């Protein structure tokens, strides 16, 4: 009888994912005994997230490579772990008051958010195609369910079904791309693929190229880039608002970091063959995202299109395929997390029991009736539009810097022009808040916790805009 | 000799795969899928992966698909026979065009694969595809993906229960 040697596992570098898995199962079990009161579940989930965030700093020397080079904990993955933990915590905080009002009482909600976070953390550290696939699936499956967790609501059902069908289809493309890449190089490890390409020993260059194209389709769907973006507006609109904010930040960041790792570490050497294609996708994503957003009348759909356009900017960092691009994505997503959670916090604040007040015209008169909230909204809108001195400006600045360093000047010019276009619809909301009046009473329907999230977001948006250096250093 | 077995098997798989999408009743679709899995198991045997082939039959064709059949038959045997679900494309021209594009891409892939200079089969080690080998690989090199898969299944199970339970609380 042959014994299988136990593999050496560095549990410390795995700690965030392990802690969250345990807490996810714990929350599921606690739900059995908690009864109607979900506060205990919320508390346990938040404790798990905080512990995971702290344990991300536990590895003494970075990077830690484990599992034969299929799992790497480096500065990038630690920072992304922080983004994930942070965005999941904010999602849970936003849900505390939102869920009971909107009839979401399932305790599994919190467990699914934790499992989704596990998937995201694994995705940020995965340097093996199989791990990347599993990470994406864990994240996606949790999201399908979270999108449809408002079971009495037709739009939520539609969102879940649409997301599931299209997502499963896109996963097919992703897996097919991965198999072709494996077929061409004979390995699933990203570093191994790069090595084989470098030595020129691929089985077939065309296979490699086809695999790359299919990977662009698969990842393109997961990050909602044009022309694979059609699901985003419907899903963002139908999903419960905290989940929408969650989807726009965490899972998107996770898919982007995997996208970046595959394209910047495994196949950068054949970059000249795929960067044209990715450039077309990036430009189309920016243009269609921004012009699509202009005509929207529903705030969640508008934010969906705006989030599509932001992916366009982020793709530029992947095209640049240098280490600067990686930290630019990390910084951007952190800034984006603050902006989006703040905006959705306000969207949730203005909702009522029977109507969520999602039309943009509902925001008329906010400047007079709720001056503080209107001011916060203005900060978020200006930051999303990339105006200084807010976080959005610095974030775009780093992305464009990474691209210019590699000589993609035209791409950056197009992106800057697009940010100008985007200002139109962001400022439209600001104008509506201050210049128009409404007869309707605008009352804040939520309590202090949602307000606190908005306050944290405002602080973060301004702080990251004024003092970008400490955060940027964390990403490098 | 190997090709002589491979092509009929592969052709069978493709035909059954088509059957899954084309057949009008869900039962026929599921049956085609089972047949496709069987064919795939045959391809695995041809690749010296005997253990995987058996797993394929036991797990997919045996357990999962039979469960599928039960669910379909228990849920809507009647409507399955009466309603033939047809897919009507909203824009025929676009569908035809994209269909042709996809066909072209597939043809291109097929050409490339047939010309690729692949490693000779001699590179496969002796114990390839045996239970010991599969187990060793699963619990050493792929122990992390193996464990992550359990989280994936747990999340999927919880999700299915949340979305499908009768009582909305």
């Amino acid at each position: 009888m042959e014994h299988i040697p136990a593999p050496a596992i560095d549990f410390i570098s795995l700690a965030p994912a392990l802690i969250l898995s345990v807490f996810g199962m714990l929350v599921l079990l606690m739900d059995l005994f908690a009864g109607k009161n979900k506060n205990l579940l919320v508390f346990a989930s938040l404790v798990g997230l905080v512990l995971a965030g702290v344990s991300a700093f536990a590895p003494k020397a970075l990077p830690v490579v484990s599992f034969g080079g299929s799992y790497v904990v480096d500065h990038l993955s630690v920072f992304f772990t922080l983004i994930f933990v942070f965005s999941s915590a904010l999602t849970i905080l936003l849900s505390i008051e939102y869920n009971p009002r909107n009839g979401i009482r399932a305790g599994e909600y919190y467990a699914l958010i934790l499992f989704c976070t596990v998937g995201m953390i694994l995705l940020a550290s995965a340097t093996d195609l199989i791990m990347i696939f599993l990470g994406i699936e864990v994240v996606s499956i949790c999201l399908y369910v979270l999108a449809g967790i408002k079971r009495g609501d037709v739009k939520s059902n539609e969102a879940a079904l649409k997301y599931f069908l299209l997502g499963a289809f896109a996963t097919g493309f992703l897996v097919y791309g991965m198999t072709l890449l494996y077929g061409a190089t004979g390995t699933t490890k990203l570093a191994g693929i790069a090595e084989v390409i470098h030595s020129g020993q691929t089985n077939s260059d065309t296979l490699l190229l086809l695999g790359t194209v299919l990977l662009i389709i698969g990842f393109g769907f997961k990050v909602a880039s044009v022309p694979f973006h059609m699901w985003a507006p419907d899903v963002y609109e139908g999903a419960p608002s905290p989940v929408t904010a969650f989807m726009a930040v965490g899972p998107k960041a996770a898919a982007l970091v995997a996208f970046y790792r595959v394209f910047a570490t495994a196949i950068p050497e054949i970059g000249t063959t795929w960067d044209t294609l990715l450039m077309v996708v990036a430009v189309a994503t920016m243009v269609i995202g921004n012009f699509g957003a202009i005509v929207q009348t529903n705030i969640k759909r508008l934010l969906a299109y705006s989030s599509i356009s932001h992916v366009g900017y982020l793709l530029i960092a992947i095209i640049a395929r240098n280490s600067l691009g990686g930290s630019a994505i990390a910084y951007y997503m952190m800034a984006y997390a603050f902006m989006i959670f703040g905006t959705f916090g306000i969207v949730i604040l203005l909702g009522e029991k029977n109507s969520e007040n999602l039309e943009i015209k509902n925001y008329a008169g906010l400047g007079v009736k709720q001056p503080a909230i209107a001011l916060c909204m203005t900060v978020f809108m200006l930051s999303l539009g990339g105006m200084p001195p807010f976080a959005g400006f610095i974030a775009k600045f780093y992305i464009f810097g990474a691209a210019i360093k590699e000589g993609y000047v035209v791409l950056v010019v197009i992106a800057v022009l697009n940010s100008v276009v985007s200002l139109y619809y962001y400022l439209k909301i600001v104008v509506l808040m201050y210049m128009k009046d409404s007869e309707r009473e605008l009352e804040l329907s939520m309590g202090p916790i949602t307000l606190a999230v908005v306050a944290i977001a405002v602080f973060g948006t301004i702080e990251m805009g004024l003092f970008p250096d400490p955060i940027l250093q964390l990403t490098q | 000799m190997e090709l002589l077995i491979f092509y009929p098997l592969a052709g069978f798989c493709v035909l059954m795969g088509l059957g899954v999408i084309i057949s009008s009743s869900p039962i026929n679709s599921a049956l085609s899928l089972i047949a496709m899995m069987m064919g795939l198991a045959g391809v695995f045997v041809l690749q010296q992966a005997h253990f995987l082939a058996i797993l394929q039959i036991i797990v997919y064709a045996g357990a999962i698909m039979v469960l599928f059949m039960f669910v379909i038959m228990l849920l809507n045997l009647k409507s399955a026979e009466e309603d033939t679900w047809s897919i009507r494309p909203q824009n025929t021209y676009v569908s035809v065009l994209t269909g042709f594009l996809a066909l072209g891409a597939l043809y291109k892939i097929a050409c490339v694969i047939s010309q690729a200079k692949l490693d000779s089969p001699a590179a496969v080690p002796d114990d390839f595809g045996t239970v010991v080998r599969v187990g060793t690989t699963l619990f050493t090199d792929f122990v992390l993906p193996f464990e992550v898969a359990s989280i994936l299944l747990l999340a999927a199970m919880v999700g299915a229960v949340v979305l499908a339970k009768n009582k909305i609380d």
Side-chain angles (χ1 to χ4, degrees), chain A residues 77-94:
Chain A
S77 73
V78 168
F79 189 76
F80 268 98
T81 302
L82 289 184
I83 296 181
F84 302 146
V85 166
F86 178 68
S87 63
S88 303
L90 287 188
T91 310
I92 289 175
L93 287 175
L94 281 182

Side-chain angles (χ1 to χ4, degrees), chain A residues 4 8 12 18 27 48 51 61 70 85 128 130 153 163 169 208 216 240 323 350-351 371 378 411-412 448 466 475:
Chain A
I4 297 176
I12 292 176
L18 287 176
V27 167
L51 283 180
S70 62
V85 166
D128 183 296
I130 293 176
D153 183 43
Y163 194 19
F169 194 52
L208 194 66
I216 290 180
S323 63
L350 292 176
T378 310
L411 201 58
V412 171
L466 294 179
T475 67

Side-chain angles (χ1 to χ4, degrees), chain B residues 41-124:
Chain B
V43 175
F44 285 162
V45 170
L46 215 57
Q47 297 294 314
Q48 309 294 324
H50 307 287
F51 181 55
L52 274 189
I54 291 170
L55 280 186
Q56 171 89 1
I57 290 178
I58 295 177
V59 176
Y60 283 100
I64 296 180
M65 286 314 297
V66 167
L67 209 66
F68 244 67
M69 298 291 289
F70 271 132
V71 171
I72 294 172
M73 291 172 92
L74 283 177
L75 280 184
N76 55 355
L77 185 63
K78 215 172 175 187
S79 63
E81 280 166 5
E82 282 166 3
D83 315 329
T84 48
W85 29 300
S86 64
I87 302 163
R88 281 226 178 72
Q90 288 180 334
N91 190 335
T92 322
Y93 297 111
V94 176
S95 319
V96 170
L97 189 72
T98 44
F100 271 111
L101 278 177
L103 213 61
L106 275 180
Y107 173 73
K108 183 75 192 155
I109 295 176
C111 287
V112 168
I113 291 177
S114 60
Q115 282 161 10
K117 51 172 177 64
L118 297 169
D119 287 340
S120 55
V124 175

Side-chain angles (χ1 to χ4, degrees), chain A residues 2 4-7 9 14 21 25 28 36 67 70-71 103-106 108-109 111-112 115 118 122 128 130-131 134-135 137-138 141-142 144-145 148-149 151-152 160 176 180 183 188-189 200-204 206-207 210 214, chain B residues 105-106 108-119 127-128 131-169:
Chain A
E2 185 186 335
I4 297 176
I9 299 173
L14 266 179
S21 309
M25 292 178 228
L28 271 182
K36 288 249 181 287
F67 298 104
S70 62
Y71 194 84
I104 303 170
R105 274 178 281 272
E108 292 89 348
Y109 180 89
L112 283 169
F115 287 137
V118 173
L122 293 171
D128 183 296
I130 293 176
M131 273 307 296
L134 278 170
E137 276 311 279
V138 172
I141 284 187
C142 294
Y144 302 148
V145 181
I149 205 146
R151 283 191 46 203
Y176 198 9
L180 288 184
T188 56
K189 307 241 182 331
Q201 284 175 329
T202 52
N203 289 321
S204 156
T206 324
L207 271 193
L210 277 170
L214 290 175
Chain B
L106 275 180
K108 183 75 192 155
I109 295 176
C111 287
V112 168
I113 291 177
S114 60
Q115 282 161 10
K117 51 172 177 64
L118 297 169
D119 287 340
D127 60 345
F128 180 80
V131 181
V132 173
R133 180 69 183 204
V134 171
T136 314
T137 318
L138 205 55
F139 287 103
T140 53
D141 295 351
F142 292 99
V143 65
L144 184 61
F146 182 73
E147 293 301 330
V148 175
S150 62
I151 296 278
L152 173 66
L153 291 178
L154 179 63
M157 207 163 62
V158 171
V161 172
V162 171
L163 290 185
K165 68 180 168 192
N166 255 335
K167 194 173 121 258
I168 300 179
D169 57 3

Side-chain angles (χ1 to χ4, degrees), chain A residues 92-142:
Chain A
I92 289 175
L93 287 175
L94 281 182
S95 313
I96 295 174
E97 288 158 347
Y98 178 92
N99 282 6
R101 187 190 70 187
N102 291 279
I104 303 170
R105 274 178 281 272
E108 292 89 348
Y109 180 89
Y110 302 102
L112 283 169
I113 287 181
L114 293 189
F115 287 137
C116 194
T117 315
V118 173
M120 298 192 284
I121 290 172
L122 293 171
L123 204 47
S125 288
T127 48
D128 183 296
L129 292 179
I130 293 176
M131 273 307 296
I132 290 176
F133 168 68
L134 278 170
I136 283 190
E137 276 311 279
V138 172
V139 172
S140 302
I141 284 187
C142 294

Side-chain angles (χ1 to χ4, degrees), chain A residues 1-45:
Chain A
M1 185 68 201
E2 185 186 335
H3 287 280
I4 297 176
I9 299 173
D10 182 19
F11 285 104
I12 292 176
S13 65
L14 266 179
L18 287 176
I19 290 174
L20 282 177
S21 309
V22 170
F23 269 86
M25 292 178 228
L26 211 63
V27 167
L28 271 182
L29 280 179
M30 281 162 70
D31 188 29
L32 275 179
F33 308 105
K36 288 249 181 287
N37 191 358
K38 304 294 177 202
N39 288 345
L40 194 62
L41 303 186
V42 172
F43 181 70
S45 315

